[in-house]
Amino acid sequence: MVNLNIRHELKLLSRNFWFVSLSLVLVLLCLYAGHNGLKHYERRTADQQEALAAQQAKEQLIKEVALTLSKGEEHPNAYRLSPMNLAISTGRLGTMPATQMSKLAIGQSDLYTHQLKIALNEDLATLSFNELNNPVQLLFGNFDLAFVLTYLVPLIIIAFTYNLRTRELESGRLKLLASNPIKINLWLLQRFIIRYFFLLLILTAILLATVLIARTGFSMQLLVFFLLTYAYLAFWFAISYLANLLGRSSARNAVSMLSLWILLVLVVPTVINQAANTVYPMPSRVKLLNEIRQTKKELSKEQNKVLDEYLRNHPELISNKGENAYGYWQGYFASQELTEKRLAPLIERFDAQLAKQQRWVNAWGILSPAVMFHDGATRLAGTSSAHYEQFKDYVRSFSLNWRAHFMPFVFKNEMLGLQELDNLPEFQFRSRSRTAGVFMNISVLLVFSALTVIWGLALEGKRQLI
Amino acid sequence: MLHAVNLTKKYQEHLALDDLNLSIEPGDIYCLLGANGAGKSTTINLFLNFIAPTSGKAVIDKFEVTENPQATRKLIAYIPENLVLYNELSGLENLEYFVGLAGMKYHQEQLVGFLKEAGLQVEAYKKRVKAYSKGMRQKVGVAMAIAKRAKVLLLDEPTSGLDPKASNEFSELLLRLSKQNVATLMATHDLFRAKETGTNIGIMKSGKLVEQLSTEEINHSDLEKLYLNHMSN
Ligand SMILES: Nc1ncnc2c1ncn2[C@@H]1O[C@H](COP(=O)(O)OP(=O)(O)O)[C@@H](O)[C@H]1O
Ligand SMILES: [Mg+2]
């Protein structure tokens, strides 16, 4: 029966005007989405290149100054080698490079920064929170391939399967079919599986074309992205199969499938998103900023005490030039560290709430296949909220490093030489691939699909199918 | 070949079929007459196992249909009043698909042979069914029965809405199949054809089989009188 049904479906689909034209529309949509992703990637990369080039030019200039000085000559810009200048106005540029896969799933990258200057005077507390705090990735946003797959492909699946049984029922053909020695739910399952593989083949071809247009190259992530897509398709086919077995009319099936689409793709993600904020509300940012300002003000009143305490904690920084060796900046950094120490519990509460929100979203995201798919896609693309979180963490720890590296120079008021310039910490962020986590998403989608199909098969004999 | 034994179907409190007993042997063409709602389709659907009996048994060739629906459906060919095929496919392609579902494989020439045997005009074989008349579609149905080598024909008002010529052709096909020992159960409103083609006649009323006779026992006008008599009281 399989061969027979394959030939049958091929004939029916290829002679179906709507199927052929919608497939063509899908081709155009995907290619356009791929093109969009490529443009987005190029823009982001060009921005970063430009910023990095400017930064390098600055550093080159400083090197030249150092070179001149090392020869014992004078240089009008000698001040550039002061620790304050190097650590604050030159600083370091932290970048989060776009991955090849980000062309396919841009995610919410518009809302996040991918590059920022790391300087000694930045407050770690504010640095961490000027990013979007919400761990849920909105599913919509950029018109990329992930968008087309998350939103539009389920609609196409619904359009081509919602009445596969009910149409036969309504036309009266189902009786003619069922007068043969076949089991209707198995026969229907076969038609669904055939259509599934048919769409899978078409979509694979389209995806490959898109990948070529976007020039992502081939990688393990791409392969997993394909698998994830197949699992997502399977879910929608399975749901439609069940709706066909349960439903008595095509019109009602269409309505229930579209309602389900609205529920799973639009409503559930939004509700999970909102609920995360309600259940684990973020402490007020304004309050945090106020606290920081307040604490700094208090500390500035007792500069000497602050500096004393700081030096007690960092005896290695004590200068042999005595008390007079310390000026404004030494006091500034001492109070910066103390402020952070005092506000640590508050900052930790932010982090903890954020982590809780993230866990909540991860747990409840299972309720929406669209979330499962989109989350998986952005993980593979390095544009998931987890990646931005990781970038933020890296920036934070790098800032600490940067600070620790410069403090001895600041406190000893020493200029840096050629050799010290070469030993400055380098910012090297590479997103870790999260392919492993995506297999969880794939499994969830497949388990849901399998359970749905089993439910449908179990209806044999329990429900009037003819 | 076909046996109904105390076959009863109730929808809630409504008796759609009340204690039906009948036997149809190979070569018989048994015509079920009766007003709309008499229970003719219910009888046929019970033999197809599309619905489950409330009590009693429907037996085809020693298999009880509820216990062995797949085995019995291998023996059956079913032609409803309105035979709906796949409009996007040709008659030949439709035949190939439905016969394939029955588990039979034929070469293209053999399939063409069946269509020819069913009397479909040659030009129509490869045309899409969308352009077929009702009579042409019924012929594809007959071709399915032939190809399936059905031993039992279940026909639910197959000639309703056919023009007299098409109806006549259909009757001739039935007679030919009957000679090949096919047992036929046909629900119909056409008294004239029932008498002409059938071997036996049963008259149903409100779910009950109220009269059974052989077509040889009775002439046209008596059959009509008998039928109207049953319908009026
Ligand atoms: N699915 C059903 N639910 C309830 N009543 C039904 C159903 N199918 C048929 N009936 C009733 O059973 C009776 C017999 O119907 P049917 O066998 O279709 O008559 P006919 O002789 O016209 O083919 C009718 O009264 C009809 O209303
Ligand atoms: Mg009827």
Side-chain angles (χ1 to χ4, degrees):
Chain A
M1 188 159 80
V2 181
N3 277 336
L4 182 73
N5 272 330
I6 292 176
R7 264 182 296 136
H8 185 59
E9 291 299 315
L10 279 178
K11 278 184 208 158
L12 290 183
L13 287 174
S14 61
R15 292 174 195 182
N16 183 327
F17 170 76
W18 283 107
F19 182 78
V20 175
S21 38
L22 263 180
S23 302
L24 290 176
V25 170
L26 187 64
V27 172
L28 293 179
L29 285 176
C30 286
L31 295 185
Y32 176 62
H35 169 80
N36 242 359
L38 176 65
K39 284 282 156 276
H40 200 276
Y41 170 89
E42 285 174 349
R43 217 177 310 127
R44 180 171 150 188
T45 309
D47 280 355
Q48 278 184 7
Q49 294 301 339
E50 199 181 320
L52 280 172
Q55 181 74 14
Q56 267 162 16
K58 247 196 237 174
E59 284 165 15
Q60 190 52 40
L61 215 70
I62 290 167
K63 251 196 190 129
E64 281 161 19
V65 175
L67 204 65
T68 315
L69 293 179
S70 73
K71 290 178 195 151
E73 294 164 27
E74 297 266 312
H75 198 291
N77 286 339
Y79 73 92
R80 283 190 189 266
L81 286 169
S82 77
M84 297 320 305
N85 181 66
L86 278 171
I88 294 176
S89 46
T90 311
R92 266 276 182 265
L93 189 69
T95 58
M96 183 184 183
T99 65
Q100 288 296 324
M101 286 292 289
S102 73
K103 295 165 181 170
L104 305 184
I106 300 170
Q108 264 175 305
S109 57
D110 288 348
L111 299 178
Y112 294 98
T113 20
H114 301 102
Q115 62 205 55
L116 78 170
K117 195 178 146 187
I118 291 147
L120 219 47
N121 57 339
E122 294 282 358
D123 273 315
L124 279 188
T126 44
L127 177 73
S128 323
F129 297 110
N130 54 18
E131 292 279 323
L132 196 79
N133 278 328
N134 202 320
V136 179
Q137 291 253 2
L138 298 172
L139 300 184
F140 20 70
N142 286 292
F143 190 84
D144 54 8
L145 190 62
F147 175 89
V148 175
L149 294 174
T150 312
Y151 281 89
L152 306 182
V153 169
L155 288 177
I156 289 179
I157 294 173
I158 291 171
F160 285 103
T161 57
Y162 78 98
N163 65 353
L164 229 46
R165 171 178 155 272
T166 46
R167 188 162 164 244
E168 308 285 2
L169 182 74
E170 284 156 351
S171 67
R173 201 162 47 207
L174 195 61
K175 285 192 169 180
L176 193 61
L177 291 161
S179 68
N180 290 299
I182 55 169
K183 285 195 164 126
I184 286 298
N185 54 1
L186 281 178
W187 165 83
L188 188 67
L189 183 63
Q190 239 180 51
R191 293 189 73 183
F192 266 87
I193 293 177
I194 291 165
R195 287 197 178 207
Y196 169 71
F197 278 106
F198 200 51
L199 187 70
L200 190 143
L201 279 179
I202 294 179
L203 204 60
T204 304
I206 298 177
L207 290 184
L208 286 174
T210 311
V211 161
L212 288 179
I213 282 211
R215 298 196 289 270
T216 59
F218 291 91
S219 60
M220 179 67 184
Q221 280 91 330
L222 187 68
L223 186 70
V224 179
F225 180 79
F226 276 44
L227 295 181
L228 180 69
T229 306
Y230 300 156
Y232 186 56
L233 299 188
F235 174 84
W236 286 103
F237 271 94
I239 285 286
S240 183
Y241 171 65
L242 186 63
N244 261 283
L245 288 176
L246 292 174
R248 298 300 301 176
S249 92
S250 299
R252 283 229 305 266
N253 277 5
V255 171
S256 46
M257 286 303 295
L258 285 178
S259 310
L260 204 66
W261 179 86
I262 291 173
L263 183 75
L264 295 181
V265 177
L266 300 179
V267 178
V268 172
T270 316
V271 169
I272 294 174
N273 194 348
Q274 288 303 317
N277 283 326
T278 314
V279 179
Y280 301 112
M282 276 295 172
S284 155
R285 258 192 73 184
V286 179
K287 217 177 122 200
L288 177 76
L289 295 178
N290 262 336
E291 291 274 345
I292 294 174
R293 206 175 313 129
Q294 201 62 36
T295 314
K296 276 188 179 165
K297 210 161 126 196
E298 276 166 32
L299 291 177
S300 69
K301 283 183 203 147
E302 30 191 347
Q303 270 301 344
N304 288 341
K305 247 173 81 185
V306 169
L307 197 57
D308 279 349
E309 188 180 335
Y310 182 79
L311 288 173
R312 257 203 306 286
N313 292 335
H314 301 278
E316 75 282 0
L317 295 179
I318 295 172
S319 157
N320 47 17
K321 289 178 197 152
E323 295 277 320
N324 299 335
Y326 308 121
Y328 168 79
W329 281 113
Q330 286 77 5
Y332 177 90
F333 292 123
S335 67
Q336 187 185 42
E337 190 179 282
L338 221 63
T339 310
E340 279 165 11
K341 218 173 241 167
R342 282 201 194 170
L343 294 178
L346 208 61
I347 295 170
E348 268 160 28
R349 258 188 40 221
F350 263 88
D351 286 348
Q353 267 329 65
L354 202 60
K356 278 183 194 158
Q357 284 195 354
Q358 187 72 63
R359 274 202 298 277
W360 165 278
V361 166
N362 284 344
W364 291 103
I366 285 181
L367 292 181
S368 163
V371 170
M372 284 288 101
F373 173 73
H374 198 267
D375 173 71
T378 50
R379 274 169 199 253
L380 291 168
T383 50
S384 72
S385 44
H387 281 97
Y388 290 102
E389 198 62 31
Q390 195 191 334
F391 179 62
K392 197 168 90 181
D393 286 345
Y394 186 85
V395 168
R396 270 201 215 184
S397 69
F398 182 83
S399 298
L400 286 175
N401 240 346
W402 187 248
R403 225 188 255 181
H405 189 84
F406 273 98
M407 279 311 141
F409 295 101
V410 169
F411 274 80
K412 290 183 182 139
N413 238 328
E414 256 177 33
M415 299 299 249
L416 282 80
L418 206 49
Q419 202 189 340
E420 283 89 1
L421 279 185
D422 285 338
N423 287 334
L424 293 182
E426 290 292 337
F427 191 97
Q428 261 307 349
F429 178 76
R430 286 264 162 270
S431 327
R432 262 183 291 133
S433 153
R434 286 168 190 267
T435 313
V438 178
F439 283 107
M440 178 70 195
N441 299 31
I442 294 177
S443 314
V444 168
L445 288 170
L446 288 180
V447 166
F448 271 129
S449 315
L451 289 178
T452 312
V453 169
I454 289 169
W455 180 354
L457 288 176
L459 287 173
E460 172 79 36
K462 292 207 186 71
R463 213 181 154 85
Q464 181 75 34
L465 294 177
I466 297 154
Chain B
M1 194 73 201
L2 270 175
H3 305 277
V5 185
N6 302 331
L7 195 58
T8 302
K9 178 67 187 177
K10 254 188 195 173
Y11 289 108
Q12 282 92 37
E13 284 313 296
H14 178 66
L15 259 177
L17 189 64
D18 188 4
D19 199 27
L20 176 74
N21 285 289
L22 72 87
S23 278
I24 303 169
E25 296 309 323
D28 284 359
I29 299 179
Y30 192 111
C31 297
L32 265 185
L33 299 174
N36 288 327
K40 305 182 297 293
S41 297
T42 303
T43 307
I44 289 174
N45 287 340
L46 283 165
F47 275 113
L48 284 160
N49 198 38
F50 288 170
I51 52 177
T54 311
S55 64
K57 288 192 287 192
V59 179
I60 298 177
D61 193 22
K62 301 185 196 76
F63 298 113
E64 195 186 332
V65 295
T66 52
E67 282 165 13
N68 251 316
Q70 307 299 352
T72 52
R73 283 176 189 166
K74 270 200 185 107
L75 305 171
I76 298 174
Y78 168 65
I79 301 181
E81 179 183 349
N82 191 12
L83 191 92
V84 186
L85 300 168
Y86 288 95
N87 277 334
E88 308 89 320
L89 307 184
S90 69
L92 193 61
E93 286 169 330
N94 267 291
L95 178 65
E96 185 184 15
Y97 182 61
F98 281 95
V99 166
L101 286 182
M104 323 279 271
K105 260 208 196 103
Y106 291 109
H107 296 300
Q108 213 66 3
E109 308 87 71
Q110 288 172 296
L111 291 170
V112 165
F114 297 133
L115 287 175
K116 194 177 279 171
E117 210 177 324
L120 191 69
Q121 58 269 46
V122 180
E123 320 82 78
Y125 297 170
K126 297 200 168 157
K127 277 211 189 101
R128 295 208 183 165
V129 162
K130 192 181 270 177
Y132 277 27
S133 70
K134 185 169 171 174
M136 289 160 81
R137 280 187 277 124
Q138 299 300 70
K139 281 176 186 166
V140 177
V142 173
M144 285 177 196
I146 299 169
K148 212 174 158 179
R149 295 204 194 91
K151 297 215 162 52
V152 174
L153 265 184
L154 296 173
L155 312 173
D156 198 347
E157 302 183 23
T159 53
S160 302
L162 287 191
D163 62 54
K165 181 170 169 277
S167 185
N168 189 45
E169 282 170 3
F170 193 82
S171 293
E172 274 168 18
L173 286 169
L174 287 191
L175 286 171
R176 204 167 334 138
L177 287 170
S178 143
K179 290 211 182 78
Q180 294 163 20
N181 274 335
V182 173
T184 303
L185 172 62
M186 171 164 70
T188 181
H189 289 302
D190 190 339
L191 263 64
F192 174 76
R193 294 251 163 252
K195 160 74 184 127
E196 286 293 291
T197 327
T199 56
N200 306 73
I201 285 178
I203 299 176
M204 286 189 98
K205 196 184 168 189
S206 312
K208 275 199 171 65
L209 189 63
V210 289
E211 191 79 54
Q212 281 201 84
L213 42 106
S214 147
T215 44
E216 283 157 10
E217 299 166 17
I218 197 164
N219 64 29
H220 275 301
S221 57
D222 288 346
L223 175 62
E224 187 161 11
K225 261 185 232 150
L226 184 68
Y227 179 79
L228 291 175
N229 201 23
H230 275 298
M231 292 306 113
S232 60
N233 51 54

